[in-house]
């Protein structure tokens, strides 16, 4: 999509339906009556707008077609190449301190679906650039009563069913593209699961959704909704040339694997837990402040060092998502407004850990200035159409938000995705007390032991960088204590790996 794209009527794509002029509304109450959508904004010709208005007044709403944005187009292409996977499903799960009022929850979910057109959107197979907004679509809410089981048995059953539900593919053409499930347990608690395809929501959207869900469940009014903004998709020649030069000749990451790579990726994955304690996090933040970098850059430096030592080369490309500038213009919108960045850094000439850290900083700042270029255009410029630009993904996110459903507290559970798209994916959530997360890995390639080893090397590299950034890179080892013990008591600092 180098030259950009446009939706119907020459408009840049947006999966928003046109809305009729709305009467002045009082704040909505939690009832089962239909509520006029407030998030849609006119983006079509006057003739089509008048036609839709006539249908609305006649009480016969019909699906309408609109265009997709570049992020959605990229996801559609991925689904065409890899049909029937759950690789693009966003997952949130939480423990609720009591039994959820599922009738009230159903009503609130209906409201949110009416409020955000993208939640009523499907993507028919006949046209990659089109999507259909159905005014009659409703959320997929499933309620499972496990109160007849002993609490611990019910909890294990709910977890197993949640895992199974998370790997069920979503059909872009028929929908629904988001699912909510509640399992009621005998100890009067509940388990809540929200699943959404990334083509209709990103991680930021999840926070918006949960906040609005909490507000409406409590019977409080919402401010007018943010419409999903159109996304610019016409990069300049300079933008494209910069990415082409930046990624030219980037070598694939040659991590040693436990098993040969299959001819076709099967998206089978598991994860190893990762935890960064409060003391190490304080050191990360102090180093970031002192070196004029961000904590993300410090963590990425540690990952780069661990990957470099394990793969045996220092020219590493890591993928990482970033909120688009359209997201900052519409922070309350639900929809895919995150782009992927290919962060390539060659630290072959870095003498000290500080040099490595500054090289990572330069890579990130350089990429941020061109982050508006659609990722598919970047892939094309790199000459890698149909292939990945990177084999490792790094995601750093704020702490999973805690919410309430009326009087019930909701405790988020940091859940691994059902499957991952790359060889390895490091997901971290930061809070004031530390960082928790996991390293997801492709089980066709790596064993659990190897994944844990790589996670430990990341932590060892992070410790080394925060201990003494002036240390020469060649003198730094990234073997964990446990790995050194298995090697016969060799000290970490004396090993080149």
């Amino acid at each position: 999509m180098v030259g950009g794209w446009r939706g119907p009527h020459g408009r840049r794509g947006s999966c928003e339906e046109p809305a009729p002029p709305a009467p002045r509304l009082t704040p909505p109450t939690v009832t089962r009556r239909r509520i006029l959508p407030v998030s849609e904004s006119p983006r079509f010709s006057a003739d089509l707008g008048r036609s839709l208005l006539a249908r609305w007044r006649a009480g016969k709403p019909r699906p309408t077609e609109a265009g997709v944005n570049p992020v959605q187009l990229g996801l559609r292409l991925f689904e065409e190449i890899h049909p029937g996977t759950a690789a693009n499903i966003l997952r949130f799960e939480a423990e609720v301190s009591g039994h959820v009022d599922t009738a009230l929850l159903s009503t609130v979910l209906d409201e949110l679906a009416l409020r955000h057109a993208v939640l009523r959107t499907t993507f028919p197979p006949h046209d990659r650039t089109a999507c259909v907004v159905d005014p009659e679509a409703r959320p997929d809410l499933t309620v499972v009563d496990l109160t007849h089981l002993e609490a611990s048995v019910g909890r294990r059953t709910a977890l197993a069913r949640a895992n199974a539900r998370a790997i069920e593919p979503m059909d872009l053409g028929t929908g629904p593209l988001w699912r909510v499930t509640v399992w009621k347990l005998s100890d009067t608690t509940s388990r809540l699961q929200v699943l959404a395809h990334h083509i209709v929501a990103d991680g930021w959207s999840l926070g918006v959704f949960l906040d609005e869900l909490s507000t409406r469940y409590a019977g409080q009014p919402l401010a007018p909704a943010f419409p999903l903004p159109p996304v610019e998709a016409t990069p300049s020649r300079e933008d494209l040339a910069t990415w082409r030069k930046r990624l030219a000749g980037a070598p694939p990451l040659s991590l040693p694997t436990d098993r040969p790579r299959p001819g076709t990726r099967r998206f089978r994955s598991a994860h190893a837990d990762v935890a960064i304690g409060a003391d190490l996090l304080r050191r990360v933040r102090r180093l970031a402040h002192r070196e004029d970098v961000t904590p993300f850059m410090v963590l990425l430096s540690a990952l780069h060092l661990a990957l470099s030592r394990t793969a045996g080369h220092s020219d590493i490309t890591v993928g990482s998502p970033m909120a688009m500038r359209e997201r900052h213009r519409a922070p309350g919108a639900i929809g895919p407004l995150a782009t992927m960045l290919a962060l390539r850094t060659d630290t072959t000439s870095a003498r000290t850990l500080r040099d490595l850290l500054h090289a990572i900083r330069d890579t990130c700042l350089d990429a941020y200035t061109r982050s508006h270029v659609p990722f598919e255009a970047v892939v094309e410029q790199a000459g890698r159409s149909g292939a990945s630009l990177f084999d490792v993904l790094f995601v750093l996110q704020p702490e999973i938000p805690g919410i309430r459903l009326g009087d019930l507290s909701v405790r988020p559970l940091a859940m691994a995705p059902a499957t991952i798209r790359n060889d390895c994916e490091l997901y971290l959530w930061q809070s004031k007390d530390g960082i928790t997360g996991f390293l997801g890995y492709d089980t066709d390639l790596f064993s659990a032991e190897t994944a844990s080893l790589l996670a430990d090397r990341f932590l060892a590299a992070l410790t080394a960088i925060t201990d003494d950034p002036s240390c020469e890179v060649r003198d730094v080892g990234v073997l964990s204590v446990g790995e050194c013990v298995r090697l016969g008591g060799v000290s970490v600092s004396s090993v080149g790996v």
Side-chain angles (χ1 to χ4, degrees), residues 1 14 51 61 73 80 88 92 122 140 205 207 247 266 276 282-283 307 349 416 449 460 471 474:
M1 300 304 295
S14 173
S51 173
L73 181 59
E80 289 181 15
N88 289 313
F92 171 81
T122 54
D140 180 351
S205 300
L247 298 174
R266 296 188 292 180
I276 297 172
R282 281 193 293 270
R283 288 157 54 194
L307 293 173
S349 61
E449 182 180 15
C471 183
R474 65 184 180 184

Side-chain angles (χ1 to χ4, degrees), residues 17-96:
E17 63 179 341
R24 185 177 182 84
L25 296 178
T26 56
T29 56
V30 181
T31 67
R32 288 192 174 275
R33 67 182 175 83
R34 183 173 305 285
I35 297 177
L36 180 67
V38 294
S39 66
E40 293 80 319
S41 60
R43 304 191 193 282
F44 300 95
S45 68
D47 288 342
L48 180 57
R50 283 191 290 270
S51 173
L52 292 171
L53 179 57
R55 293 178 187 172
W56 173 71
R57 286 176 173 165
K60 298 178 180 178
R62 300 178 186 176
T64 58
E65 288 200 5
V68 303
N69 72 29
V71 179
Q72 292 169 323
L73 181 59
L75 289 165
R76 292 199 70 168
L77 293 172
F78 180 90
E79 294 285 342
E80 289 181 15
I81 297 171
H82 306 285
T85 78
N88 289 313
I89 293 180
L90 176 69
R91 182 179 183 182
F92 171 81
E93 290 177 18
E95 184 177 78
V96 185

